[in-house]
Amino acid sequence: MILPTGSNLVSRPLIFRSETVSASLSVYLPTVFASRFIGLLRGVVLAWLLTTGEFGLLQVALIVVNILDPLCSLGLNEALARYVPQYETKQALRAFLRRAVLLILAVGLGLSVAVMWWAEPIGRLLFATLNSGDSVVDIRACADLTRIATAATLALIIYYLTQSILKGLRMFRAVSLMELVSNLTFMVAAVLVTLVGRGTAAAMLACYGLTLAAAALLVIPGLRRILRAAPDRESLTALSADGRTHRVVERMLRFGAWAALATVMWQTLQFYPMWYLQKIHGPDVTAVFGGVRLLTQAVLIISVAIVTVVQTSVTKTWESEGPPAADQRWALAFKTTALALLILCALIAGLSDVLVRLFPREYAQGVSIISGLLLFFMVSGHLGFLAIHFRLIERPRYLFLPWTVGLLAGVAAGRWLVLPGLAPVQALHAAVWTGILGVSAALVVIICLMWIKRRTIDQGTALLIAATYALAGPIHLFIAVVAVLCILAGASSVIFTIDGQQRLRQLLGDACRRIGALLSRAVS
């Protein structure tokens, strides 16, 4: 089988195949929904099997892994995903990967060893809970949990390394396989380990790292076979008139360093409210926050999945067709995703009383923060989409500013709102608004940066962003706002242009046909 237009790989099996945006979404989005359901099921089961303290500690440990990943990889996996389409187009993919993969593995291993060496002070900072100025979590246990988290981080670096290559080549069937395998095996392993009496956050984290490594090892052999068949120029220096492309390591480090800083700030912005809640009020309240977060983070997970597909496709369009075509595809993807997720938010908020009953009775007090968490994740999803602009122009360092401002705003809000002595429900609300204020500050800054770089947003995009904040009001008001947006989207050109509406119908039709074909094959 031959790759779509613009690709230079020669042959591909069923799993390792590059595809268009509509084809990728028709495969990847169902996988995201399946993975999301598996993750939710795993979280609900573990909430019943683990103590609230261990469940809350596990949520914080997973935060630590997500923050350590860009630190220990120096953001090089993001650089890899950015440059793979470029070097594929220029027929220098193998030469590029020979340098890039070794660099990422060496950096990841070296920095992971350094974190393990300083595990005790790092663990005290990350996991110790403050109670009247004293640490109530054993420092040695914190150090051990930090070492396990670092080992899981190294496995995550290898996992993301593999996925970055696959995403750069638009092979989302293989990406989907990795995500399904890792989620399924993690759920099974975590439940089995808990049932045999090892129901601790450390044991769950060890299962997480092992399943990530297993998922990566599953697809690496097939990916290597595909890459060997790719036509390649041995010299990178002949690819550019300015002669700079031979400095692969320098380019990746420069891109990756700023990407790492931006990603660390982004991850901290995302998880600071829960971490600070645990620091002040302990793992029991954090467990409630983490459990309800599982119900609502589908909004961000879906948004990130679409951003992943759109970013690689838009990057390819940017390289082959130019910025105007890439910007048009970005705008259509953003508006479609934002409107669909607003509809999903209305559904989740309307069913909040039912959904929270999935968890043990102790988690029922979290029902009142569901709308707030939906608002937090919606704004976070908008930020992920807007960040694509700066990655396209190879200026990830610009993202450092909005994420930093957002984090500083969140820290200030946390110190002001999340106070010792609050009742659990009050502490939960304080943590939610800490997050909302943080991402809102980041949103203002990133829009200003786009205006400075003359990459402004149109009225439809601005309207959808503004409508998101209706989640802060009563649920019936939010549902009315969503209904009005749906009418405007279908009966006018306020949100979608006429060309955009036609393109959207075409993409949805293609996606439905592909999903139908996949279901037919599965049944047969």
Side-chain angles (χ1 to χ4, degrees), residues 11-60:
S11 61
R12 54 188 176 143
L14 179 63
I15 298 297
F16 298 93
R17 54 191 304 176
S18 298
E19 295 178 300
T20 61
V21 174
S22 60
S24 298
L25 288 175
S26 66
V27 173
Y28 191 48
L29 278 186
T31 302
V32 169
F33 281 114
S35 298
R36 165 63 188 150
F37 177 75
I38 294 168
L40 175 61
L41 181 61
R42 180 183 64 242
V44 170
V45 171
L46 291 180
W48 285 94
L49 294 178
L50 301 178
T51 64
T52 53
E54 289 294 336
F55 186 79
L57 197 57
L58 174 61
Q59 305 308 306
V60 177

Side-chain angles (χ1 to χ4, degrees), residues 233-305:
R233 299 175 184 175
E234 292 300 322
S235 174
L236 293 175
T237 57
L239 297 176
S240 175
D242 59 16
R244 292 181 301 168
T245 49
H246 69 285
R247 298 198 298 268
V248 177
V249 172
E250 179 184 342
R251 294 185 72 191
M252 288 192 65
L253 285 173
R254 186 169 60 248
F255 186 101
W258 284 106
L261 287 173
T263 303
V264 168
M265 289 299 175
W266 169 257
Q267 295 287 2
T268 310
L269 173 63
Q270 288 292 300
F271 293 115
Y272 176 81
M274 187 159 66
W275 175 81
Y276 194 64
L277 180 66
Q278 191 268 345
K279 200 77 174 173
I280 301 300
H281 288 273
D284 290 337
V285 177
T286 306
V288 177
F289 188 91
V292 177
R293 199 176 191 276
L294 285 173
L295 294 174
T296 55
Q297 69 179 359
V299 172
L300 183 60
I301 290 173
I302 294 170
S303 181
V304 169

Side-chain angles (χ1 to χ4, degrees), residues 269-402:
L269 173 63
Q270 288 292 300
F271 293 115
Y272 176 81
M274 187 159 66
W275 175 81
Y276 194 64
L277 180 66
Q278 191 268 345
K279 200 77 174 173
I280 301 300
H281 288 273
D284 290 337
V285 177
T286 306
V288 177
F289 188 91
V292 177
R293 199 176 191 276
L294 285 173
L295 294 174
T296 55
Q297 69 179 359
V299 172
L300 183 60
I301 290 173
I302 294 170
S303 181
V304 169
I306 297 174
V307 166
T308 300
V309 175
V310 170
Q311 179 169 312
T312 55
S313 175
V314 168
T315 300
K316 185 72 173 178
T317 304
W318 182 282
E319 297 290 342
S320 58
E321 301 178 33
D327 290 341
Q328 289 177 1
R329 294 192 179 187
W330 176 91
L332 179 61
F334 175 86
K335 294 173 188 178
T336 306
T337 303
L339 184 59
L341 290 180
L342 286 171
I343 296 171
L344 177 61
C345 286
L347 181 63
I348 294 174
L351 297 175
S352 56
D353 290 327
V354 176
L355 293 174
V356 80
R357 294 176 187 172
L358 294 171
F359 290 94
R361 186 170 50 191
E362 296 87 350
Y363 293 75
Q365 57 190 328
V367 69
S368 61
I369 63 171
I370 286 181
S371 293
L373 281 173
L374 288 172
L375 172 56
F376 171 76
F377 285 127
M378 278 296 299
V379 177
S380 298
H382 295 335
L383 290 172
F385 257 101
L386 295 172
I388 292 177
H389 286 283
F390 299 99
R391 294 191 174 97
L392 286 175
I393 61 176
E394 298 186 33
R395 295 294 185 272
R397 63 180 179 271
Y398 289 178
L399 296 176
F400 182 70
L401 179 60

